[in-house]
Amino acid sequence: MNRLVLIGNGFDLAHGLKTSYKDFICWYWYKWGEKLLSSPNKKESDELCSFTLNESIELAGWYLVWKSKYNHLKKNPLEPFNPIEIVGTAMSDRDLCEFIFISPLLQKIWKQFMLGWVDVENEYYSLLRQRTSPIRPYTEQDIKDLNIHLNTLQSYLIKYLRKEEEKVTEIKEGVKNKIYRRIMKDEIAVTNQRYSGNRLGDSAPSSIMLLNFNYTKTPELYLTESSNVRINYIHGNLNNPQSIIFGYGDELDDDYKRIQNLNENECLRHIKSIKYLEADNYRRMLEFVESSPFQIVIMGHSCGNSDRTLLNTLFEHKNCVSIKPYYYKNKETGKDNYLELVQNISRNFKDMKLMRDRVVNKTFTEPLTSY
């Protein structure tokens, strides 16, 4: 029996990398603050937002404004300005900033960020549905603009993740043991035990595929020359930016068929199931799951709707005999997200009876690691 390990953002977080979308958005605004602090211009912009100095401020650029008018923002005159505070001031002070443009996508992301949780891909698809709603007239340019904004975010995300990937990371023995450990009989779906004559279970996996939904190389820590483990960068990797798949993948959503029937290719530009055809990663994954019965192990993947099409293919595959979710546990509060994770998993099933049989119950699983 084989093992397919689904590696998501929680895997990188467990190895000390700040790769969450929340970390990324904080970095994005920090870089904007640095830009405004050093800008000799009255206007600064990228594809996502722009800031323009008020005409009444008779100074050549932003850096002179902070130097001559806003020193009071510093708690200590000897300390440098806080870039995040600079952005906040530019946004809120109408005497300072005459015009602020923030793209609808970034506005939506920022709103979710302030609520404590953000998923960029979900927010993109939400806007795509809104902009193609039957009750709202739209133009091709509306969709092109949305895709331009997502492309810009993707380019910034690649830059940010490359910086994070440079950090030294070490093998977690607990994670290594979970990747290689034996598949136990109690983890196997009851129907598979019955039809296999109890031949499945209590054995080491014959072959392991690390299906990496991240763009980072963290899973490579767990490769050895003699191992039976391979990595599949299903969404591409940072060494090849052209390979990156960043968008949405929920063909089970009620609105997807409607969007598809619009006969507008721009609407499908960032749909994952179409982008998979640009490389052979998806095909290699299919070859792996078709070759033998396999157990799915979930390590740091939230199993949210943005990967729903692919996850449904795996979770309901005829050769899948077990889905074992390793969950997150807060070591300070003792609270864990097992139930939330299983709720997300359930949304990727059409057959709920099959879901209840295949998903390993909490008795036989544990936290991925303490982080």
Side-chain angles (χ1 to χ4, degrees), residues 213 235 249 272 276 301 304-312 348:
F213 288 78
H235 286 165
K272 290 179 180 177
Y276 288 141
H301 196 298
N305 287 356
S306 61
D307 291 313
R308 195 175 175 196
T309 302
L310 184 149
L311 295 180
N312 173 260
N348 296 284

Side-chain angles (χ1 to χ4, degrees), residues 104-369:
L105 178 59
L106 188 57
Q107 288 182 42
K108 199 164 178 51
I109 289 169
W110 182 245
K111 181 178 179 181
Q112 292 302 118
F113 175 91
M114 296 303 291
L115 294 174
W117 169 256
V118 62
D119 186 323
V120 172
E121 293 172 315
N122 277 337
E123 301 312 319
Y124 165 78
Y125 187 61
S126 176
L127 273 179
L128 180 63
R129 286 186 300 182
Q130 289 177 20
R131 292 197 168 189
T132 57
S133 169
I135 63 174
R136 180 186 184 276
Y138 75 95
T139 65
E140 182 182 358
Q141 191 60 47
D142 289 334
I143 309 304
K144 283 184 176 179
D145 289 343
L146 177 59
N147 286 335
I148 288 171
H149 298 157
L150 188 69
N151 287 335
T152 302
L153 268 176
Q154 176 179 315
S155 65
Y156 279 118
L157 180 63
I158 291 171
K159 185 182 296 186
Y160 173 71
L161 291 178
R162 280 177 168 169
K163 178 182 69 70
E164 280 298 303
E165 196 178 48
E166 294 175 356
K167 294 180 179 179
V168 177
T169 53
E170 298 179 348
I171 285 179
K172 302 282 186 181
E173 287 300 325
V175 172
K176 181 179 178 181
N177 291 337
K178 292 177 179 68
I179 291 174
Y180 286 92
R181 70 173 38 165
R182 299 167 71 87
I183 301 171
M184 307 305 292
K185 180 181 175 182
D186 288 331
E187 299 170 1
I188 305 299
V190 172
T191 50
N192 291 103
Q193 291 182 18
R194 182 167 65 245
Y195 293 127
S196 65
N198 293 327
R199 292 193 305 272
L200 298 178
D202 293 349
S203 62
S206 302
S207 183
I208 301 172
M209 175 178 282
L210 304 180
L211 194 65
N212 188 17
F213 288 78
N214 303 329
Y215 311 117
T216 56
K217 62 184 179 182
T218 315
E220 294 182 14
L221 291 168
Y222 298 93
L223 294 180
T224 63
E225 291 182 3
S226 60
S227 79
N228 59 343
V229 179
R230 70 190 93 164
I231 299 177
N232 185 331
Y233 288 90
I234 189 67
H235 286 165
N237 64 81
L238 298 175
N239 291 332
N240 180 14
Q242 296 303 314
S243 71
I244 297 294
I245 294 176
F246 188 56
Y248 204 77
D250 184 8
E251 294 175 6
L252 303 182
D253 177 70
D254 292 338
D255 284 321
Y256 177 78
K257 183 61 68 175
R258 176 183 59 77
I259 293 173
Q260 191 179 40
N261 289 338
L262 292 174
N263 197 29
E264 175 55 69
N265 286 343
E266 198 65 34
C267 293
L268 305 180
R269 185 168 299 279
H270 290 290
I271 298 300
K272 290 179 180 177
S273 56
I274 296 175
K275 298 286 287 184
Y276 288 141
L277 298 176
E278 294 185 334
D280 70 342
N281 295 329
Y282 191 88
R283 183 181 180 87
R284 289 190 290 110
M285 178 198 75
L286 288 180
E287 289 173 347
F288 182 82
V289 300
E290 289 286 346
S291 66
S292 175
F294 64 95
Q295 178 189 53
I296 292 175
V297 164
I298 299 171
M299 292 189 167
H301 196 298
S302 67
C303 298
N305 287 356
S306 61
D307 291 313
R308 195 175 175 196
T309 302
L310 184 149
L311 295 180
N312 173 260
T313 299
L314 296 176
F315 291 172
E316 294 195 341
H317 194 280
K318 64 182 187 299
N319 282 341
C320 177
V321 300
S322 170
I323 301 172
K324 186 172 185 177
Y326 287 106
Y327 52 90
Y328 166 75
K329 184 174 182 178
N330 188 309
K331 59 184 178 181
E332 295 180 358
T333 65
K335 294 182 178 180
D336 66 66
N337 72 335
Y338 175 83
L339 182 59
E340 178 185 347
L341 182 53
V342 171
Q343 289 169 334
N344 288 348
I345 291 171
S346 73
R347 295 188 184 97
N348 296 284
F349 274 87
K350 296 177 184 177
D351 185 339
M352 300 309 292
K353 180 179 179 182
L354 190 63
M355 183 276 293
R356 289 187 291 272
D357 191 19
R358 287 186 175 177
V359 175
V360 176
N361 65 63
K362 194 174 182 180
T363 306
F364 300 110
T365 187
E366 59 189 289
L368 174 61
T369 185

